[in-house]
Amino acid sequence: MAPNNQKGVENTAYVIDTDEATDVGKQAPAKPSDAVKTPDVKRQQWNNPIEFLLSCVAMSVGLGNIWRFPFVAYENGGGAFLIPYILVLIFIGKPLYYMELCLGQFASAGAVKVWELSPAFRGVGYGQAIATWSVVTYYVSLMALTVFYFFSSFSSVLPWAECGEVWSTRYCVHATTNHSLLTFNASLAKSSSEEFFVNEVLKTDFSGLDNGISAPEWRLSLCLLFSWLLLFLVLVKGVASSGKVAYFTALFPYLVLFIMLARGATLPGAVDGILFFLRPQWWKLLEVKVWYAALSQSFFSLSVGFGSIIMFSSYNGFRHNVYRDATIISITDTFTSFLAGLTIFSILGYLANELGVEVKDVLKGGGSTLAFVSYPDVLARFTFAPQFFATMFFLMLFTLGIGSASALTGCVITIICDEFPYWKKWLVTLIVCIIGFLMGLFYVTPQGQFILTLIDHYGGGFLIFILAALEIVAVQWVYGINNFCKDIEFMLNRKTGYYWKFCWAVFIPLVLIGVFLYTVATAKPLQHGSYTFGPNAIGFGLALTAIAAATFPALFLYEFIKRSKKSSSLLEALKDTFKPSKHWGPRDPSLRKNYRDFLAGNSPDVPMEGIHNLGNDVEIHRF
């Protein structure tokens, strides 16, 4: 068997071209002449398994863990929310993650090429690419906000700690304002951090999209350019460069979180904030929306359904133990969300204590409101080194963003390079980053947050559930769960248990179909704050969803027509469209030959190296 070059960055692969039957369960043993001797372009591999694991951690542990999970947990039952969240992780999140890891590693292909498994579903990969690109364009704009706040934190006085003459209104109050001396109703008061964010940073146009789109804010545009430039440097050499960066992007946020938690826990009122976060509201478990919130949080936190997990694992050695990695990553993601909740609410408890109000009164929302209003308000009240804690906090947010954005962008780059293997990867990366920057300029306009809400809802929310449902139906029902489990057994030398089979074939498809029906039944007019989007904006959003979803029937029709020209009947062409193509299988020709022998029930010519029966030809890295 040809050595599986786990140590090296690149690994030579070969194109296999054979006219043998494509039904996986009936494939005959391959002959040595089956392999075309012309080598295909070289495919990179991770320098070592730790870089892969840390990259997956950096991808899954993102901004959503820090500024979304704490608020979602509080809003949906507090400590009781952990019950549906953990159950969703066990029966949906982790199985989907493991399935996508296995798909990418088995085929050594990105989110489109992996659909040699069932060409009828090739459009799912392109739909995921559109959804992923939609998300990454606005995700990097959020990173730009963290860059702006990071550099603002070096001021001798934090700029949001006071009411600026240029951007504040008469209702602005800052950290040292005596509320008993206000000349207006206290309910009208707005914190200096909120007015700084809305009026100075975003320069929000409260008319929304009704009057068109204004020019980008120049300072945020520079921060956006900086973010995309850094992403380019991370991705320019593929996993050879992004793997090195993962040591920092995966580990540094934990250092900051523990520092912030240690600081927050020593502040007066911190215990009240933590108890407020953990206090269970058991009656909430009877509400369907709580379980839907748990599914959404787990789904998007782990980044399943976007294609980035398939992309990352496609650069693994064929025998890498992704079973272990799926467990480590899913547990780490949950732990990080919980740690972030403790950290955020300990600080908010201190703010509530300072203002003499309840914690719920200082928690004005999740997402950007928590990150750029509530938390900066707390930082402004620190009497000891507020600049240090502010820079650490926003550097942590930017680092988390880099880890996730590099995975999402890398997914799109891999799809392009898989389709056009002779294109220079650095040039593809450069073009993708330039286009991403230009599209990102829409999000740094005064209407940027409205556009973000629109794209997030129609391009990265509901659409991902549809594509994930198609993905798991294609793999487990069309390709067949038995065939998929055989592939895993050949790759990892591990039998697949009933837990995985139940989740993949029954539970997850039914849940995702239920989510689709629930989302349609409970759909409401899309809003951003008090602003309701008009018909033009809604039409644009629906068009985006339709384009991404239409890739599935469009590519299915293309594959069907292509096969109908070579088939004796339309029925035969239809069957062939759903069957694995002749290119499905391990990328390496020796592994492919062993794979076909394995499926045929024959002993391979060379002993199969696996996780539990190591051979001399393959080097398996262990921790």
Side-chain angles (χ1 to χ4, degrees):
M1 177 179 290
N4 188 1
N5 187 15
Q6 183 84 348
K7 276 188 173 181
V9 174
E10 297 182 334
N11 186 31
T12 302
Y14 296 84
V15 178
I16 307 299
D17 193 4
T18 177
D19 292 324
E20 293 185 47
T22 56
D23 187 346
V24 170
K26 299 179 181 179
Q27 285 174 330
K31 301 180 181 64
S33 60
D34 287 338
V36 176
K37 301 303 181 182
T38 304
D40 194 6
V41 293
K42 294 180 179 179
R43 187 173 187 84
Q44 287 184 314
Q45 286 193 345
W46 299 97
N47 285 329
N48 60 69
I50 296 179
E51 290 185 5
F52 164 71
L53 181 62
L54 292 178
S55 295
C56 287
V57 170
M59 171 185 63
S60 297
V61 178
L63 295 175
N65 298 76
I66 305 300
W67 69 22
R68 189 173 186 270
F69 175 83
F71 181 73
V72 171
Y74 153 69
E75 202 174 39
N76 292 279
F81 179 74
L82 294 176
I83 294 176
Y85 184 71
I86 292 175
L87 288 176
V88 165
L89 174 76
I90 293 173
F91 291 103
I92 298 179
K94 180 181 174 181
L96 272 176
Y97 203 99
Y98 180 46
M99 185 189 82
E100 292 194 348
L101 286 176
C102 290
L103 280 174
Q105 181 168 302
F106 183 81
S108 297
V112 171
K113 283 294 184 181
V114 78
W115 288 108
E116 299 294 345
L117 172 146
S118 180
F121 290 86
R122 197 182 304 277
V124 173
Y126 286 106
Q128 288 175 332
I130 294 173
T132 299
W133 185 243
S134 300
V135 170
V136 79
T137 54
Y138 74 69
Y139 199 89
V140 181
S141 74
L142 296 174
M143 292 166 54
L145 292 177
T146 67
V147 173
F148 184 91
Y149 270 81
F150 173 77
F151 286 111
S152 299
S153 300
F154 286 96
S155 303
S156 56
V157 176
L158 295 177
W160 57 85
E162 299 177 340
C163 294
E165 294 182 4
V166 177
W167 47 263
S168 64
T169 66
R170 63 184 296 264
Y171 300 113
C172 178
V173 296
H174 52 77
T176 59
T177 299
N178 187 337
H179 286 243
S180 63
L181 301 179
L182 295 178
T183 58
F184 51 85
N185 192 319
S187 63
L188 299 175
K190 292 185 177 181
S191 67
S192 56
S193 60
E194 180 179 359
E195 294 212 345
F196 176 77
F197 179 58
V198 173
N199 299 333
E200 173 64 7
V201 180
L202 299 178
K203 299 187 183 298
T204 303
D205 179 0
F206 292 99
S207 64
L209 301 175
D210 296 341
N211 298 322
I213 301 175
S214 306
E217 209 283 329
W218 70 272
R219 297 169 302 175
L220 292 181
S221 298
L222 291 177
C223 293
L224 182 69
L225 177 62
F226 174 82
S227 300
W228 275 108
L229 178 61
L230 205 57
L231 267 178
F232 170 73
L233 295 176
V234 170
L235 295 168
V236 66
K237 293 186 178 180
V239 295
S241 54
S242 64
K244 296 292 187 295
V245 176
Y247 286 99
F248 180 76
T249 56
L251 300 177
F252 176 74
Y254 291 100
L255 173 64
V256 177
L257 278 175
F258 280 115
I259 291 175
M260 301 297 285
L261 179 59
R263 173 58 178 161
T266 62
L267 296 172
V271 174
D272 295 332
I274 293 174
L275 291 177
F276 182 83
F277 169 60
L278 296 177
R279 188 177 295 117
Q281 303 168 42
W282 298 113
W283 65 91
K284 291 271 191 179
L285 296 181
L286 300 178
E287 299 178 9
V288 176
K289 70 174 186 177
V290 172
W291 292 86
Y292 176 76
L295 176 63
S296 299
Q297 178 63 31
S298 178
F299 214 86
F300 293 106
S301 180
L302 288 171
S303 300
V304 292
F306 287 91
S308 50
I309 299 171
I310 295 175
M311 178 272 296
F312 268 166
S313 63
S314 73
Y315 297 111
N316 274 339
F318 189 75
R319 305 293 183 189
H320 180 74
N321 190 353
V322 290
Y323 178 88
R324 171 199 59 201
D325 291 346
T327 301
I328 293 174
I329 295 164
S330 56
I331 292 175
T332 301
D333 181 75
T334 304
F335 166 76
T336 307
S337 297
F338 185 70
L339 175 64
L342 294 178
T343 303
I344 296 297
F345 275 89
S346 67
I347 299 295
L348 293 180
Y350 162 70
L351 178 59
N353 182 75
E354 284 285 295
L355 298 177
V357 298
E358 297 291 329
V359 177
K360 64 181 180 180
D361 296 322
V362 299
L363 185 61
K364 300 180 180 180
S368 58
T369 301
L370 179 61
F372 301 117
V373 176
S374 298
Y375 211 88
D377 195 18
V378 177
L379 295 170
R381 298 171 187 275
F382 278 13
T383 56
F384 174 74
Q387 289 83 0
F388 169 77
F389 288 102
T391 53
M392 287 294 100
F393 177 71
F394 292 113
L395 180 59
M396 175 191 68
L397 291 184
F398 183 76
T399 303
L400 289 168
I402 281 287
S404 298
S406 60
L408 296 173
T409 310
C411 177
V412 176
I413 293 170
T414 296
I415 289 173
I416 297 173
C417 290
D418 279 357
E419 197 66 31
F420 306 98
Y422 294 101
W423 288 9
K424 294 183 182 298
K425 192 161 192 174
W426 70 267
L427 185 58
V428 173
T429 304
L430 177 63
I431 294 173
V432 166
C433 290
I434 290 174
I435 295 174
F437 166 70
L438 294 176
M439 296 182 69
L441 291 174
F442 287 101
Y443 300 104
V444 295
T445 63
Q447 298 81 18
Q449 295 300 297
F450 299 93
I451 299 173
L452 189 154
T453 299
L454 184 69
I455 299 300
D456 178 54
H457 181 78
Y458 288 104
F462 176 57
L463 176 61
I464 292 297
F465 285 120
I466 298 176
L467 296 172
L470 289 172
E471 177 184 277
I472 199 161
V473 166
V475 176
Q476 306 301 338
W477 291 3
V478 177
Y479 179 63
I481 189 168
N482 290 331
N483 288 330
F484 184 63
C485 291
K486 286 179 182 178
D487 294 348
I488 295 176
E489 182 181 356
F490 174 75
M491 181 172 67
L492 301 182
N493 195 26
R494 178 187 292 276
K495 295 282 188 180
T496 301
Y498 291 112
Y499 153 72
W500 300 102
K501 293 179 179 179
F502 168 74
C503 293
W504 288 334
V506 180
F507 188 72
I508 297 177
L510 291 178
V511 168
L512 291 181
I513 292 171
V515 166
F516 172 78
L517 297 175
Y518 173 79
T519 305
V520 172
T522 59
K524 298 179 180 178
L526 182 62
Q527 291 183 310
H528 177 81
S530 59
Y531 174 80
T532 302
F533 288 88
N536 292 336
I538 297 299
F540 175 82
L542 290 173
L544 176 61
T545 301
I547 290 172
T551 57
F552 168 56
L555 268 294
F556 165 73
L557 186 62
Y558 168 77
E559 295 288 345
F560 171 70
I561 293 174
K562 185 171 68 173
R563 282 161 175 74
S564 65
K565 295 178 180 179
K566 301 178 181 179
S567 301
S568 57
S569 67
L570 292 180
L571 181 60
E572 182 184 349
L574 183 63
K575 290 180 179 179
D576 287 343
T577 305
F578 285 97
K579 289 179 180 179
S581 79
K582 61 188 177 184
H583 301 296
W584 171 249
R587 188 181 179 97
D588 181 89
S590 299
L591 286 171
R592 184 182 291 259
K593 181 180 183 303
N594 284 345
Y595 171 59
R596 296 192 175 187
D597 288 341
F598 172 78
L599 293 177
N602 301 328
S603 299
D605 296 336
V606 181
M608 292 188 301
E609 297 85 347
I611 299 302
H612 303 299
N613 55 337
L614 305 181
N616 296 324
D617 294 333
V618 176
E619 183 174 355
I620 303 296
H621 292 261
R622 297 184 178 275
F623 294 116

